[in-house]
Amino acid sequence: MLRPKIPTMPMPTGSVTPPAVVQPTAIQTVQQPSVPAAPASRPTVQITPGTALAVIGAGTAVVLVVGTVLVSMLLATAVTAASVAVCALVVRSLIASSAKRR
């Protein structure tokens, strides 16, 4: 049968030099004088009744749009499956009727 050819490693020609030795170097760090950090004050968020209604309205709109898209995709899949099933029944009927004529 077929046998793979394994390449042979050629012998080096000439002198082989050993790898260079790397000497570790010392790392010197410079310390910066520490500056006390200012206390972080986070801005407060004020939610007004108008803002709450806007957020609720936007969330409701997003849910309705996503739901409509998902339902339409499901409906398209169901219609496609039904049409394929009808086509399969028609083809099966045609094949059965042509087999009886012979």
Side-chain angles (χ1 to χ4, degrees), residues 29-94:
T29 59
V30 177
Q31 293 196 358
Q32 299 282 335
S34 63
V35 177
S41 62
R42 294 171 35 171
T44 58
V45 177
Q46 298 291 331
I47 298 178
T48 62
T51 306
L53 285 176
V55 169
I56 291 171
T60 304
V62 167
V63 167
L64 289 176
V65 168
V66 169
T68 303
V69 169
L70 291 177
V71 167
S72 65
M73 289 172 62
L74 181 64
L75 182 62
T77 304
V79 168
T80 304
S83 64
V84 168
V86 168
C87 289
L89 288 175
V90 169
V91 169
R92 181 177 165 189
S93 173
L94 290 173

Side-chain angles (χ1 to χ4, degrees), residues 7-40:
T8 58
M9 185 77 167
M11 295 300 291
T13 58
S15 64
V16 177
T17 58
V21 178
V22 178
Q23 296 293 331
T25 57
I27 298 174
Q28 296 179 358
T29 59
V30 177
Q31 293 196 358
Q32 299 282 335
S34 63
V35 177

